[in-house]
Amino acid sequence: MSDSTPLQGPTTGLSPADDLPLHQTSEPIRHVASTDRNFYDRYYFNLHGSSDELFCVVGVGQYPNLGTQDAFVAVRRGDEHRVVRASKELVDRSDSTIGPIGVEVLEGLQRLRVVVEPNEWGIAADLTWDGAMPAYLEPRHFVRRYGRVLFDSTRFAQTGRWTGTLSVGGETFDVTPDRWWGTRDRSWGIRPVGEGEPPGIRAAVNELFAFWNYAPMQFDDFSILYICQEDEHGERELEEAVRIWHDPDRAPEQLGRPEHHHRLVSGTREIEGSMLSFPAAPGGGLEIDVEPLLAMHLMVGTGYGLEPHWRHGMWQGPLVVEGEVLKVDDPRMWGLVDTVSRFTCRGGDVDGSVGHGLHEYFFLGDSPRYGLSAGGGAP
């Protein structure tokens, strides 16, 4: 097949995005510069009522070199874990609607709209996101394993507020920005996606990480972004700690090296509470107490890796829509955990400030500091 062979579908590679001055290579927008099969381009959003009443996560991704795009909406409400997901062939990169799920950019880096059309799994939404802080470019994520680049991605993050309606299992919530907050990110680059590849030399090792911890937290006047990725020896592969004022005229403040202190539910890899500390923070050392309110096991039903037949970027067909409703005591509830949490500042120049946001974590393999081994949970 020559390079000039048209794509499958009604176009030859051109899309409305090609009418904008956005090109980074001599190719149409449909074709990315990297030929790595694992190139991806994703949206992530979450929504909560600054409480334990529900937690909603939305993801939309494109995989140009796999010819697919997919999306999911997951909602934790009470003891139910409810998911709708969709996948279709990627033809037009400016089309971010997959089945009943779609994202529309109303004002770049500030306002977006998320729509979920009614479906048989009981999730529907028409929601508008408004950023509370300027979008912030996080550190480049680069990991090489046995000579091959495993991660090479760029991501920006933002805290914000939601307006609109959300229906879950017959209940409808009037979403107002006074308390319906959330976080979002946009990332693109290279990370493992699609169908599994032959592991070769990597078969006997954990290619990812031993511990991943991420917490974008929103307060009234500022937000804090915290990242920590460690290997099984506790060595850092990625870290970030920054305070971003909601007033765009105030510059972000680096908080220095972050530290984590987690308390696990006995016999599990679940966190029951945490203290994140920033000893070198401007204005004096800062500690943040993390109180989990409602947890979602993000890998269940969404494509993050547990289901062998449905992973991000996996070819499903021209258009496939699926869903499921599970109980949170289902034995599949394992892996990456996204928790809406309450954050309380101790010390520093923001002592007593209370905020809400995401606390995300994943213990994978050994973590001697927390008494975890690859064969199971905490002793």
Side-chain angles (χ1 to χ4, degrees), residues 247-310:
D247 179 353
D249 293 330
R250 298 187 68 174
E253 297 176 337
Q254 295 296 323
L255 301 181
R257 177 185 169 91
E259 302 294 343
H260 54 84
H261 310 273
H262 302 299
R263 304 184 305 276
L264 303 186
V265 177
S266 179
T268 77
R269 293 171 179 250
E270 305 286 327
I271 289 177
E272 64 178 5
S274 303
M275 180 68 74
L276 304 177
S277 57
F278 311 90
L286 173 63
E287 294 183 334
I288 299 180
D289 180 65
V290 183
E291 178 190 354
L293 299 178
L294 192 67
M296 175 184 293
H297 286 80
L298 189 61
M299 298 176 74
V300 179
T302 61
Y304 276 96
L306 284 186
E307 288 83 13
H309 74 289
W310 192 289

Side-chain angles (χ1 to χ4, degrees), residues 91-114:
V91 176
D92 179 357
R93 294 198 66 200
S94 64
D95 176 12
S96 55
T97 298
I98 304 99
I101 305 166
V103 174
E104 178 184 2
V105 178
L106 303 177
E107 179 185 345
L109 304 181
Q110 185 61 35
R111 295 180 66 244
L112 295 91
R113 183 183 179 212
V114 175

Side-chain angles (χ1 to χ4, degrees), residues 62-230:
Q62 294 185 347
Y63 317 91
N65 294 335
L66 296 176
T68 67
Q69 57 183 331
D70 51 35
F72 73 85
V73 181
V75 179
R76 167 77 189 275
R77 171 68 170 156
D79 65 350
E80 283 190 342
H81 177 94
R82 191 179 296 261
V83 179
V84 179
R85 61 193 182 207
S87 174
K88 74 176 185 181
E89 179 183 3
L90 173 61
V91 176
D92 179 357
R93 294 198 66 200
S94 64
D95 176 12
S96 55
T97 298
I98 304 99
I101 305 166
V103 174
E104 178 184 2
V105 178
L106 303 177
E107 179 185 345
L109 304 181
Q110 185 61 35
R111 295 180 66 244
L112 295 91
R113 183 183 179 212
V114 175
V115 175
V116 184
E117 300 292 345
N119 53 78
E120 63 184 279
W121 297 279
I123 304 176
D126 191 340
L127 298 161
T128 298
W129 165 272
D130 192 28
M133 59 170 251
Y136 183 81
L137 188 63
E138 295 177 337
R140 185 77 167 263
H141 192 189
F142 185 88
V143 176
R144 188 188 295 274
R145 296 282 191 266
Y146 291 104
R148 182 176 180 182
V149 174
L150 187 67
F151 290 89
D152 184 8
S153 59
T154 294
R155 184 170 73 173
F156 69 75
Q158 189 176 44
T159 60
R161 301 176 174 88
W162 291 97
T163 304
T165 58
L166 171 66
S167 296
V168 181
E171 296 180 274
T172 297
F173 297 86
D174 182 20
V175 176
T176 55
D178 55 324
R179 71 183 187 94
W180 290 94
W181 292 5
T183 62
R184 77 171 183 114
D185 64 62
R186 278 280 289 114
S187 65
W188 59 94
I190 294 168
R191 73 182 187 193
V193 295
E195 291 78 0
E197 298 180 79
I201 194 174
R202 303 169 182 83
V205 300
N206 172 18
E207 280 198 282
L208 297 176
F209 39 75
F211 175 60
W212 166 260
N213 200 194
Y214 178 53
M217 50 194 99
Q218 181 176 340
F219 300 84
D220 287 337
D221 301 320
F222 63 93
S223 295
I224 291 176
L225 304 180
Y226 153 83
I227 303 172
C228 184
Q229 178 181 314
E230 297 178 350

